[in-house]
Amino acid sequence: MPPTMGRRERKKAQTRRALSEAALRLFCEHGYDGVTVAQIADEADVSVATLFAHVPDGKEALIFDDGAERHLWLTAAVRDRPPGQSVPRALRHRMAARGPFTDDLPPDLRRKRDLIVSTPALREYSRRLWIAGEKALAEAIAVESGREPSDMTVRALARYVLEIPELAGAEPDPLAALNAVFDLLESGWPESP
């Protein structure tokens, strides 16, 4: 049985959640650039010092988690794929069901996704969170392919996949863009017609 969260940890999680909700609400109402850290702290009823104690990376980090969850579901897509399914195919299916690539999101997540996609600072922060998972994804790909994590092809596949959200996420049809990238990864560059 997992240990229960202590009072201090519950209070920290509650404050972090309040900051995230306040930031999202204010960003959606006034635009990302129209909101200060002080306004977010005030909206969440905490001091600016408390805000930075919970979110030292600043304003961009307020509506994101630490990225660990996405690294877990990406590596699980590789590790738990059906027999005979390629690594790129498994990653394509997993990514197509998330973020900017799906319309099957509850309204609150759709609002958050739309804010991230339309705000350059938030897109760049999101990209950094994606890229932070390169080592874990490369290790999962290496295990499944019988190669070393340092193998350039393993590292390249991991990096290319992790760049897809930034590259394709803001396209008019993000899912079609995601599929175009994965088609290239799976088939290689086509010969000229």
Side-chain angles (χ1 to χ4, degrees), residues 29-178:
E29 289 173 9
H30 306 287
Y32 175 81
D33 292 326
V35 178
T36 67
V37 171
Q39 289 170 314
I40 296 166
D42 188 51
E43 180 79 10
D45 197 27
V46 299
S47 69
V48 172
T50 298
L51 181 147
F52 281 113
H54 286 274
V55 188
D57 288 346
K59 189 165 98 165
E60 296 89 353
L62 283 165
I63 63 168
F64 293 97
D65 59 19
D66 64 1
E69 186 260 338
R70 78 180 71 188
H71 303 158
L72 290 175
W73 64 257
L74 278 173
T75 57
V78 171
R79 188 181 55 249
D80 302 337
R81 72 192 192 286
Q85 185 179 61
S86 71
V87 168
R89 177 70 49 169
L91 290 166
R92 176 197 302 240
H93 286 298
R94 187 63 56 102
M95 291 178 80
R98 304 281 302 233
F101 307 111
T102 182
D103 283 330
D104 189 26
L105 290 173
D108 59 322
L109 289 180
R110 189 174 304 119
R111 188 173 73 154
K112 184 176 178 178
R113 176 206 52 203
D114 293 347
L115 175 69
I116 293 166
V117 168
S118 66
T119 307
L122 295 176
R123 280 194 12 230
E124 178 55 31
Y125 189 83
S126 177
R127 179 182 177 273
R128 288 194 310 263
L129 289 175
W130 279 102
I131 296 302
E134 183 179 342
K135 183 176 186 244
L137 184 56
E139 288 172 354
I141 293 168
V143 166
E144 294 300 314
S145 65
R147 299 176 185 191
E148 291 297 317
S150 61
D151 181 307
M152 181 50 72
T153 59
V154 168
R155 292 176 41 221
L157 179 57
R159 173 62 68 93
Y160 296 159
V161 165
L162 295 172
E163 290 285 1
I164 291 172
E166 169 58 22
L167 182 64
E171 288 295 308
D173 185 345
L175 183 57
L178 172 127

